[in-house]
Amino acid sequence: MIPLIQLSKQDAVGIITVDNPPVNALSPGVPEGIAAGLAQHIADPEVKAIVLIGAGRTFIAGADIKEFGKVVAGQSKGHNLLPLMLAMEDSPKPVIVAIHGTALGGGLEVAMGGHYRVAAPSAQVGQPEIKIGLIPGAVGTQRLPRLAGVELAAQMCAFGEPIKAAKALEAGVVDQIIEGDLLAGAVSFARAQTERPKPREREIRPFDPNIFDALRVQAKKALRNQTAPLAAIDAVEAATRLPFAEGCARERELFNQCLYGPQSKALIHAFFGEREVAKIPGIDKNTPARDIKQAAVIGAGTMGGGIAMNFANAGIPVRLREAAQEALDRGMATIRKNYSNSVAKGRFPQAVMDQRMALITPQLTWDGFDETDIITEAVFEGMALKKEVFAEIDRIAKPGCILATNTSTLSIDEIASATKRPQDVIGTHYFSPANVMRLLEVVRGAATGLDVIATCMALAKRLNKVGVLAGNCRGFIGNRMIHCYGREAQFLVEEGASPEQVDGALYDFGMAMGPLAMGDLAGLDVGWRIRKEFKHLEVPGERIPHISDELCERGRFGQKTGAGYYKYDENRKPSHDPEVDAIIAEVAAREGIERREISKEEILDRTLLSLANEGFRILEEGIALRSVDIDIVYLTGYGFPAYRGGPMFYAESLGLDRVLARIREFGWEPAPLLVRTGSPLDSAGQVRLP
Ligand code: NAI
């Protein structure tokens, strides 16, 4: 058993060290341990002042998030940090909190129970609770405004972004920055203190009362539909209006509303989900991963350029090969422009851009491809071309080189068949823009080696992405499902909803953008071309959507042609286009579809449940390992709102019985797994036997 707390003494200063690796989370036993240590030092006549510090790489980095789920499930009462914090503030000996690494959430709240805070120059402090749908629950919203000032406190609690030590010092959250040895500095600071200022008794400094409404407007825009940021602002506002104890009670009330509300449940699901997807049966830390020191990318188009940037951003030298000089120049110009924009926005200095650019070698030849550890193919989507490219790299690449394809739909196995090393072939499916989107779908073929999968999952982390493992099928996890969703969106339009209604309903639900607007952005012609190529695969009698194809037939490919479901001005601002109404009416008449009023509820259910229904098939076929993997694909790659947890979590939150009933109402074939899990009745309406 790890001793969570260690006690020691130095120069008449009692030291309490929190030692709960890896991040000194406030797990059960930690607050109690601190309280016991505090009592012991207070009782010790030799001790004149007390220092609280963290062992290892950080101070207390936050609450133990698992505990929140247990509290909601009634399995734990949770622990109340308040008695500890009051004991710290009421200590007859000055209590100094020494912060390094991050003091976040409950960590900062504990720190604010001390009389003084000192910090290492690299330390950060923050109240990031809104990121899991909560607000500070241990009086952070009441103490922080008294230390940091109302405006900064409200901002920190509403948006969850941490601040650096220097800013914390300037704002008054921290009293001194300690260069060099933090503990030694904290001890000598402690020895010099005779006063014991209590954060809870501080006067609120003058502030502009309009800031609350201004922040509400900002939060409603930046964190659309989310309840916790607004609750956090309310709680900080309460600190300015109510005496401390009443403010604390108000915070508790708001905290509980968030804790028992649906959004925190969904966001906590997303938080753990991102960690869960890294776990793959058969792969553990002993699986030998290959070393990626050099990379190469083929194709410098929309995707290839962004993929090359990912490698360069991670410090991995990358060769970028194109077929033609003009395309190569265009690709490099786009990369340069992207980096320049980041420099202009102050994301990183010019020197960093120069370093990254220097890591990318543009070329028309195969030079150096025999030395790279991973080659990622991002040429046009077409099986013949992909096989040609793979046959070529099979000849050139060194043994052990990973041969990855960025295909969004094609079979990894068929691509691998063009090589003599199918065990080294894998899909690494990036999302557009590849340098921005966090998702990396790692697609395993039938023969892909476990070490190749392990390497690509580790690579995802190195590239600052979330890797999700998918099986090989048309469209893998994400695109296979989005196909159903997009089709349903078009059917709704054919049946009477306007594009604005469909997109509006899903935008209001929280999607980053509606499906039709997304089609316009990605280019409607992509799907149109694929459908033409695969016309022979259409199942007779199966309904197919016509609107997108009809728009393409008229040259309306979306934003790039200034017209798609909407018309676009030169700044790509969309507006309603009566011509689209006419096209829709014509298609409906031609297909014999009677147009009717369509409710928002129907729009949401048909689009979102089509995702879930296909998700259940994907699960049953083993294309996704767990339903949370599907959720993470949607949260990190498709703009699904995290506070809804993902399409599978959302379906579950509606109740799978209800989902199944709706699917039957729509006349769809429900996924067998959903029938088995979702209803006490089997598909023939009989009661299912256990
Ligand atoms: P793109 O058309 O923008 O770029 C393809 C590039 O490959 C062109 O610049 C072309 O000159 C080059 N190329 C063709 N043959 C080549 C060869 N033999 N050697 C070197 N370069 C060659 O296409 P995009 O959008 O970048 O797509 C590339 C791949 O990524 C496709 O498989 C696509 O399905 C997939 N993908 C596309 C996404 C998107 O949103 N555009 C998202 C995820 C995957």
Side-chain angles (χ1 to χ4, degrees), residues 214-225:
L215 284 173
R216 283 185 184 104
V217 170
Q218 217 181 317
K220 280 183 189 159
K221 197 164 161 222
L223 302 166
R224 193 157 53 93
N225 292 353

Side-chain angles (χ1 to χ4, degrees), residues 288-550:
R290 299 184 189 176
D291 202 9
I292 305 283
K293 289 209 267 316
Q294 293 188 52
V297 175
I298 310 174
T302 311
M303 296 305 288
I307 296 169
M309 287 174 76
N310 285 322
F311 284 108
N313 297 352
I316 304 170
V318 55
R319 295 176 175 276
L320 181 56
R321 179 187 190 268
E322 250 298 338
Q325 187 66 49
E326 201 201 333
L328 188 59
D329 293 344
R330 210 177 325 120
M332 288 304 290
T334 306
I335 293 176
R336 199 167 295 115
K337 198 173 113 214
N338 281 335
Y339 278 141
S340 297
N341 285 344
S342 297
V343 172
K345 286 185 186 143
R347 293 210 185 106
F348 46 74
Q350 182 66 40
V352 170
M353 162 167 170
D354 296 344
Q355 263 167 18
R356 293 181 181 180
M357 286 301 296
L359 286 171
I360 305 177
T361 310
Q363 59 187 61
L364 297 173
T365 65
W366 295 108
D367 285 356
F369 271 61
D370 54 347
E371 288 166 8
T372 64
D373 304 300
I374 183 167
I375 300 174
T376 308
E377 166 279 312
V379 303
F380 303 127
E381 186 83 340
M383 187 51 93
L385 176 62
K386 302 262 185 205
K387 281 171 118 171
E388 207 177 284
V389 169
F390 271 75
E392 186 67 31
I393 55 180
D394 187 29
R395 272 191 290 279
I396 300 168
K398 68 178 181 186
C401 172
I402 292 178
L403 310 182
T405 170
N406 185 49
T407 180
S408 31
T409 45
L410 301 173
S411 164
I412 307 299
D413 292 337
E414 196 176 340
I415 293 173
S417 74
T419 74
K420 289 188 224 44
R421 41 175 129 178
Q423 75 282 359
D424 294 337
V425 177
I426 193 164
T428 51
H429 183 207
Y430 293 81
F431 289 73
S432 181
N435 54 314
V436 176
M437 296 299 288
R438 288 176 68 224
L439 177 61
L440 180 66
E441 243 183 342
V442 174
V443 190
R444 78 195 293 175
T448 309
L450 278 180
D451 59 335
V452 173
I453 297 173
T455 307
C456 290
M457 293 298 289
L459 177 67
K461 267 208 189 89
R462 237 175 119 189
L463 302 184
N464 227 344
K465 304 211 178 275
V466 182
V468 178
L469 185 64
N472 183 29
C473 66
R474 202 172 149 69
F476 319 127
I477 298 174
N479 281 349
R480 174 168 158 184
M481 286 166 65
I482 210 74
H483 175 74
C484 305
Y485 171 83
R487 194 180 53 187
E488 217 47 52
Q490 287 191 63
F491 287 160
L492 286 159
V493 169
E494 291 176 357
E495 290 166 35
S498 67
E500 284 89 346
Q501 254 180 300
V502 173
D503 282 342
L506 285 152
Y507 180 80
D508 289 348
F509 172 82
M511 298 299 289
M513 72 200 308
L516 306 170
M518 189 165 88
D520 275 0
L521 175 68
L524 300 173
D525 55 316
V526 181
W528 177 55
R529 293 215 169 87
I530 294 173
R531 277 188 296 277
K532 279 188 170 175
E533 199 177 322
F534 289 96
K535 217 156 181 69
H536 58 285
L537 291 182
E538 280 172 15
V539 182
E542 192 177 48
R543 182 176 174 192
I544 50 168
H546 296 282
I547 304 284
S548 289
D549 289 356
E550 202 59 49

Side-chain angles (χ1 to χ4, degrees), residues 240-279:
T240 67
R241 298 207 168 143
L242 303 172
F244 184 77
E246 284 171 44
C248 293
R250 178 73 184 130
E251 181 198 83
R252 175 85 348 215
E253 204 178 4
L254 288 161
F255 174 82
N256 280 330
Q257 280 169 17
C258 291
L259 181 64
Y260 290 92
Q263 295 194 350
S264 71
K265 212 171 153 211
L267 285 161
I268 290 173
H269 167 75
F271 177 88
F272 286 118
E274 277 198 21
R275 283 144 190 87
E276 187 73 18
V277 293
K279 296 180 193 150

